[in-house]
């Protein structure tokens, strides 16, 4: 008699301004492909977009270390180390957890810059200005307007699609992670530091959108260079015509399919 194998768990980790339920199409696809997917939210995240908009204080003031420990606790409750797929700040969180040997592999999509990454393109400054314009936002949850979302996420989309995604998935985001990342290269103990030299970790795929305003391609390519001292698998793939919305817009299936193909090549 053949013993049934346990499906590999996949944890999807959202970034700032998107609710965890924005991963629902990915979850359906990965379940169809034989994985055991889930998308637990950040600490304090309400269950729905509507609740998150109504209760921003529940989300406020959570920093990078809070989020990493939140997902580490979830991982410790799993039967085997999961595959992590993170977008934006979720991509940074996935890299930190992978560097701590808590994951079997990770896909970091348009990941927020980690400590050591120096490029700071003007578009990234503009995309995050709604948070940085007020230092008090470090302890608050900040929402984007539809116009700000169009610049930061939906610039490669039609105005109609950007507006529809804004209405469906956006929620307030804690300002603290952005302030922590901005100060990373001045803080030797920054929570944005990743163990990029870990040669024993699982494989990592970095994905970048060529039209991304929030995490421009230069940031992702500089992130790749941070891994040059590790012999572990570190790959990169780019989507030249895509912006920061690439996980939720009409082209999400191509991005998800690329991640699946890469995972199969890693034997996962």
């Amino acid at each position: 008699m053949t013993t049934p194998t346990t499906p590999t768990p996949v944890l999807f980790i959202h970034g700032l301004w998107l609710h965890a339920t924005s991963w629902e199409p990915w979850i359906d696809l990965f379940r169809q492909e034989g994985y055991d997917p889930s998308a637990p939210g950040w600490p304090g995240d309400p269950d729905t977009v509507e609740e998150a908009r109504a209760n921003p204080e529940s989300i406020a003031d959570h920093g990078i270390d809070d989020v990493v420990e939140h997902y580490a606790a979830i991982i410790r409750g799993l039967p085997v180390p999961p595959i992590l797929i993170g977008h934006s700040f979720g991509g940074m969180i996935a890299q930190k957890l992978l560097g701590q040997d808590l994951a079997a592999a990770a896909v970091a999509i348009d990941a927020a810059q980690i400590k050591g990454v120096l490029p700071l393109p003007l578009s990234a400054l503009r995309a995050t200005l709604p948070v940085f314009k007020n230092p008090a936002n470090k302890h608050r949850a900040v929402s984007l307007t539809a116009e700000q979302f169009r610049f930061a996420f939906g610039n490669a989309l039609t105005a109609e699609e950007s507006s529809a995604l804004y209405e469906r998935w956006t929620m307030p985001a804690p300002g603290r992670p952005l302030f922590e990342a901005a100060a990373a290269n001045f803080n030797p103990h920054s929570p944005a530091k990743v163990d990029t030299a870990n040669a024993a970790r699982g494989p990592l795929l970095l994905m970048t959108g060529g039209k991304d305003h929030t995490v421009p391609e230069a940031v992702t390519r500089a992130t790749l260079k941070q891994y040059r001292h590790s012999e572990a698998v570190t790959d990169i793939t780019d989507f030249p015509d895509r912006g920061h919305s690439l996980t939720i817009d009409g082209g999400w299936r191509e991005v998800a399919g690329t991640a699946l193909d890469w995972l199969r090549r890693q034997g996962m």
Side-chain angles (χ1 to χ4, degrees):
M1 186 175 72
T2 303
T3 303
T5 58
T6 301
T8 301
V10 178
L11 292 187
F12 293 97
I13 307 175
H14 70 81
L16 301 182
W17 294 300
L18 294 181
H19 193 268
T21 51
S22 63
W23 288 113
E24 285 174 352
W26 289 67
I27 289 173
D28 292 342
L29 175 63
F30 272 69
R31 185 171 290 117
Q32 292 167 16
E33 295 294 327
Y35 296 93
D36 179 20
S38 61
W42 284 27
D45 280 6
D47 290 338
T48 67
V49 170
E50 292 73 22
E51 289 177 276
R53 290 172 180 169
N55 301 287
E57 64 280 356
S58 69
I59 302 162
D61 217 18
H62 290 293
I64 294 170
D65 283 341
D66 298 329
V67 182
V68 170
E69 180 49 41
H70 173 74
Y71 284 99
I74 292 170
I75 289 169
R76 286 192 284 268
L78 297 175
V80 294
I83 294 165
L84 303 177
I85 299 181
H87 172 247
S88 198
F89 260 94
M92 174 200 280
I93 303 303
Q95 290 177 75
K96 283 186 66 74
L97 292 164
L98 182 69
Q100 295 171 8
D101 295 320
L102 291 173
V107 178
I109 306 169
D110 286 344
Q113 69 187 74
I114 64 175
K115 179 177 171 61
V117 170
L118 300 178
L120 189 58
L122 288 176
S123 68
L125 289 172
R126 179 177 166 187
T128 53
L129 184 62
V131 172
F132 288 127
K133 67 182 181 182
N134 185 347
N137 285 340
K138 181 176 181 179
H139 304 291
R140 296 172 176 165
V142 180
S143 298
L144 297 181
T145 66
E147 182 181 2
Q148 289 165 343
F149 178 85
R150 179 79 194 282
F151 180 84
F153 284 78
N155 59 291
L157 309 177
T158 64
E160 291 75 17
E161 183 175 8
S162 181
S163 294
L165 293 174
Y166 174 80
E167 291 298 331
R168 185 174 185 185
W169 298 126
T170 60
M171 68 178 213
R176 180 178 286 275
L178 280 168
F179 282 91
E180 290 174 336
N185 292 327
F186 306 99
N187 178 3
H189 306 293
S190 169
K193 185 176 182 179
V194 172
D195 185 0
T196 55
N198 182 352
R201 63 162 171 81
L204 169 66
L205 175 62
L206 301 172
M207 291 184 169
T208 179
K211 293 186 176 180
D212 192 328
H213 282 166
T214 301
V215 185
E217 185 176 353
V219 171
T220 304
R221 296 208 172 268
T223 299
L224 177 65
K225 291 180 181 178
Q226 294 295 309
Y227 286 94
R228 64 190 179 276
H229 300 300
S230 172
E231 296 177 0
V233 172
T234 311
D235 294 329
I236 189 169
T237 188
D238 67 287
F239 299 90
D241 297 325
R242 308 298 297 280
H244 204 60
S245 66
L246 78 176
T247 58
I248 58 170
D249 61 36
W252 73 269
R253 182 64 177 76
E254 178 189 7
V255 183
T258 299
L260 280 166
D261 290 344
W262 179 80
L263 288 167
R264 292 189 187 101
R265 291 197 298 273
Q266 310 309 314
M268 297 181 180

